[in-house]
Amino acid sequence: MSTWSGTTYEGPNKNEWFEGEGRFKFPNGVVYEGQFRKGEFHGKGALVYPNGGRYEATWDRGYAVEGHYVFNDGLLYEDKNWEYVSQGDRRFYTEVLEGLQPAGKTLLTNETTPPPIPKGAYDYGCGYYDPKTEQIVSYDGKEVLGYPTEVEEKWIKDHCRKGFEDEKLPPQKSPEELEPVGTAAEAEEAKQP
């Protein structure tokens, strides 16, 4: 481990250079797994992110010359004609693969069982945001992933799933308690014999 940079390398060396198949971990948790030549990423290799996503590429002297990003659920990112979670189709990728869930079992995240988050925390996608410490922490709580800016914090609080105070989802309404769909006039007409 490099004490000044916080990086680690596992793999063979040649003339004090990283050489061959190896694993290089950055301080932010990103790991490069693949081939090295003279201490640089060279050949086939992937940057693996803490959320499980991977940038798989062919590298030439430290530069990615051809590659693609694969999300942790296997969805391949396409920078052209992207249709996943688009305006026309708001389903999660899991729902595209496995079909929609019945009413009342709608997915809150792309995972069929969302990762647990502490009470009062917000699901950030790669971990959770704890407003008490103002940190983004890994789901297992073992690693601080970052510190959001004020703008990011507001976005998280306005848009992300929140850990409920009582460990349960809010009570569901029975079909009889649900408001009728339509205008108030249509609802009044439906009540009259």
Side-chain angles (χ1 to χ4, degrees), residues 65-81:
V65 291
E66 184 179 335
H68 57 269
Y69 185 83
V70 180
F71 291 91
N72 67 348
D73 59 6
L75 175 65
L76 176 65
Y77 174 74
E78 298 176 33
D79 59 353
K80 294 186 174 128
N81 302 319

Side-chain angles (χ1 to χ4, degrees), residues 35-113:
Q35 299 170 334
F36 289 84
R37 184 168 158 228
K38 292 188 176 180
E40 297 177 316
F41 304 167
H42 190 82
K44 298 284 184 190
L47 289 170
V48 182
Y49 294 88
N51 66 1
R54 302 171 60 88
Y55 180 71
E56 299 171 347
T58 300
W59 302 82
D60 185 20
R61 299 188 66 204
Y63 292 94
V65 291
E66 184 179 335
H68 57 269
Y69 185 83
V70 180
F71 291 91
N72 67 348
D73 59 6
L75 175 65
L76 176 65
Y77 174 74
E78 298 176 33
D79 59 353
K80 294 186 174 128
N81 302 319
W82 182 251
E83 294 184 16
Y84 170 65
V85 188
S86 64
Q87 193 168 7
D89 186 356
R90 302 295 297 169
R91 295 175 296 164
F92 287 112
Y93 188 58
T94 301
E95 293 170 322
V96 171
L97 294 176
E98 300 174 11
L100 291 172
Q101 298 295 315
K105 299 209 179 226
T106 305
L107 296 180
L108 298 173
T109 69
N110 191 42
E111 309 298 325
T112 51
T113 303

